[in-house]
Amino acid sequence: MTNTMWGGRFAEAPDAVMEDINASIDFDKALAEQDIAGSRAHALMLADQGIISAEDAKRIVAGLDKIASEIAAGTFTFSRALEDIHMNIEARLAEIIGEAAGRLHTARSRNDQVATDLKLWVRDAIDELDEQLHTLQEALAEKAEAHADAVMPGFTHLQSAQPVTFGHHLLAYVEMLQRDRDRFADCRRRLNTCPLGAAALAGTAFPIDRQATASALGFDGPAANSLDAVSDRDFVMEALAAASISAVHLSRFAEEIVIWSTAQFGFIRLSDRFTTGSSIMPQKRNPDAAELVRAKTGRIVGALNALIVTMKGLPLAYSKDMQEDKEQVFDALPSLSLCLAAMTGMVSDLTVDKNAMREAAGAGYSTATDLADWLVREAGLPFRDAHHVTGRIVAEAEARNVALDVLPLDVMQSVHPAISKAVYDVLSVEASVASRTSEGGTAPENVRKAAKAWRARLADGAG
Ligand code: ARG
């Protein structure tokens, strides 16, 4: 049997392998809801324009409603012989309403249809991700406010650098997630033009109303150029690019969670709800959720890579290559969504060991910069000289195996005579963070203010 949708000039049915490589129904059934919404808008517009009769439009819409409920109930039979979701739905519509079903595809092609469906799907996914990013920001900002003055080591090269506060560290991620949201919002804004009515590639001779279908589907307006409308997959690439950057942010945070929850660091404790045990080592509490968040970045970035390579060198307008966009985005965006949910759970539940953090914050001569700054301020040394003097003092402390804030004054004075006992005021980790009051700095008063501002902004629904 040849395909009833396009089999007019075919004498033979497709080979089984042809069906295997060609059929997309196994994955594009995820577009059912969007496809039905698009068809409903198209049918109503055709009737309003007098291209089909009002009765036919009514039958089509009723049939589509029935199909929607069959799909929701799980009673719809998807057929690989019918290739994709568009032809599966149209074939079922013909079974339900008969001849009128054949009028639905007037002034339309699967090319503008699939582009429209996918835009609707990606748009919904972006809206959901934005919600989830917002929720994670709220969890982080809340924890940040609670731990605005919890001192921890700040690292560069993962070596003790300068003390910071845990709240400050968490707020760094709130900023990163905001940029992620902005990137998704920007992608959504550019995405929001409607391909429907571009037909196969050249537009149509029927007197359609593209404004009407665009607005019925929540688009800002029709896509301007019919060739571009059917061949554009920028919106998928952009969404995957935004998702990739966001996944990279989450993976960095996941890595820190893994490190912080080791016995060696012991800065945080993850809840039982977000850890797993070992089948052989009874003491283990493994941060599997964090590790999987870290790992899923691979598939998300992989999806971006796969689609970009698929699109490279495709001539205008539609090519079947573009069918390969779907599995990537259907996997990547839900993967990111799962990562966000897991991250939010971990953050909300985690508890902090302030003492362990504080102790680690003092290790590695982390207040050496404070000493150098003191020499600049109080002894008038140029910073480069102060840096050198401090380096020698750190070497003295290291030789005695003591921290800077307990190194005897005479030892310091032997390196530089201008040092007085007032220097000890700046050598504690608390004094160090408290002094970092510059805009965006880690001083607890700054952090408290920033956390409050974020919480207010996020509660506003904005952000
Ligand atoms: N299943 C196809 C896809 O995902 C729909 C468009 C097919 N168009 C065509 N001219 N064969 O891209």
Side-chain angles (χ1 to χ4, degrees):
M1 192 194 77
T2 62
N3 190 301
T4 50
M5 299 289 163
W6 46 250
R9 73 188 294 281
F10 287 77
E12 272 192 281
D15 190 89
V17 174
M18 180 61 207
E19 189 176 295
D20 279 348
I21 196 169
N22 196 38
S24 54
I25 187 61
D26 292 340
F27 48 86
D28 69 17
K29 59 169 103 148
L31 292 175
E33 202 182 299
Q34 290 75 13
D35 197 68
I36 288 170
S39 289
R40 190 180 285 127
H42 184 67
L44 293 173
M45 179 280 291
L46 290 178
D48 282 346
Q49 295 298 106
I51 299 167
I52 64 173
S53 70
E55 297 76 62
D56 280 345
K58 234 170 110 178
R59 281 184 207 108
I60 289 169
V61 169
L64 290 170
D65 286 345
K66 184 161 163 31
I67 291 170
S69 54
E70 288 175 359
I71 291 172
T75 57
F76 188 93
T77 319
F78 294 99
S79 151
R80 297 192 86 211
L82 290 164
E83 280 186 42
D84 59 22
I85 188 63
H86 324 294
M87 298 210 288
N88 268 269
I89 288 178
E90 197 184 317
R92 177 69 186 131
L93 188 64
E95 283 173 10
I96 300 172
I97 68 168
E99 196 199 59
R103 300 191 192 281
L104 172 60
H105 214 52
T106 314
R108 185 177 80 168
S109 151
R110 275 188 291 158
N111 298 347
D112 57 341
Q113 195 177 353
V114 73
T116 305
D117 293 0
L118 194 56
K119 277 193 168 185
L120 292 173
W121 190 94
V122 171
R123 196 175 70 183
D124 283 349
I126 287 175
D127 291 346
E128 221 179 284
L129 288 169
D130 182 66
E131 221 18 80
Q132 288 188 286
L133 285 159
H134 176 261
T135 306
L136 177 53
Q137 283 181 306
E138 283 185 320
L140 287 165
E142 196 182 312
K143 274 270 180 305
E145 192 179 352
H147 299 289
D149 56 7
V151 185
M152 69 176 273
F155 301 97
T156 60
H157 314 267
L158 198 55
Q159 304 285 320
S160 275
Q162 293 172 350
V164 295
T165 77
F166 188 59
H168 197 53
H169 197 115
L170 296 184
L171 288 181
Y173 283 100
V174 175
E175 299 287 339
M176 291 150 85
L177 297 177
Q178 185 58 41
R179 291 196 295 275
D180 294 343
R181 293 178 66 192
D182 291 349
R183 264 182 286 274
F184 276 120
D186 194 43
C187 163
R188 190 195 196 283
R189 182 180 59 74
R190 242 186 318 279
L191 162 156
N192 212 28
T193 60
C194 187
L196 209 54
L201 75 166
T204 175
F206 290 100
I208 58 171
D209 180 354
R210 293 192 63 206
Q211 290 290 344
T213 40
S215 84
L217 295 169
F219 288 103
D220 298 331
N225 179 296
S226 63
L227 289 168
D228 179 45
V230 293
S231 71
D232 167 27
R233 291 295 180 274
D234 292 9
F235 64 100
V236 191
M237 291 189 276
E238 283 191 44
L240 291 176
S244 293
I245 295 173
S246 190
V248 166
H249 288 158
L250 296 183
S251 80
R252 295 179 70 174
F253 191 29
E255 168 67 2
E256 296 189 318
I257 288 176
V258 170
I259 294 175
W260 292 343
S261 62
T262 55
Q264 289 72 17
F265 271 73
F267 290 2
I268 61 166
R269 187 178 167 88
L270 294 172
S271 70
D272 287 355
R273 305 195 315 148
F274 287 96
T275 43
T276 60
S278 155
S279 55
I280 174 167
M281 296 165 284
Q283 85 285 8
K284 290 293 285 283
R285 290 166 57 80
N286 293 328
D288 294 39
E291 295 168 79
L292 287 163
V293 167
R294 188 173 60 184
K296 281 187 192 294
T297 313
R299 64 204 288 166
I300 296 169
V301 175
L304 170 64
N305 191 46
L307 182 59
I308 284 185
V309 176
T310 299
M311 293 306 293
K312 179 194 170 291
L314 287 190
L316 300 185
Y318 177 85
S319 298
K320 194 63 174 248
D321 309 51
M322 287 155 72
Q323 179 166 285
E324 291 284 313
D325 55 5
K326 289 171 206 62
E327 280 168 293
Q328 303 301 338
V329 72
F330 291 169
D331 180 74
L333 298 190
S335 291
L336 180 60
S337 164
L338 186 55
C339 290
L340 287 166
M343 212 32 132
T344 303
M346 278 188 279
V347 169
S348 306
D349 280 14
L350 68 78
T351 54
V352 170
D353 185 338
K354 278 181 83 161
N355 292 331
M357 276 187 183
R358 197 213 162 278
E359 204 172 308
Y365 308 103
S366 63
T367 56
T369 316
D370 299 272
L371 173 53
D373 288 350
W374 186 90
L375 287 165
V376 169
R377 230 176 21 247
E378 308 297 329
L381 269 62
F383 183 78
R384 277 290 153 234
D385 296 347
H387 184 284
H388 185 76
V389 168
T390 304
R392 287 180 52 203
I393 293 174
V394 167
E396 293 290 344
E398 214 165 19
R400 288 168 176 75
N401 198 20
V402 295
L404 280 180
D405 60 349
V406 295
L407 186 65
L409 184 60
D410 59 328
V411 177
M412 292 202 238
Q413 284 170 337
S414 71
V415 178
H416 200 285
I419 299 179
S420 70
K421 80 175 194 311
V423 77
Y424 290 104
D425 292 347
V426 302
L427 293 182
S428 74
V429 290
E430 283 78 12
S432 174
V433 294
S435 72
R436 298 278 189 282
T437 51
S438 59
E439 193 173 336
T442 196
E445 57 171 306
N446 282 16
V447 175
R448 210 165 283 118
K449 226 183 281 165
K452 274 197 204 325
W454 265 116
R455 292 188 69 188
R457 177 174 167 187
L458 295 166
D460 242 16

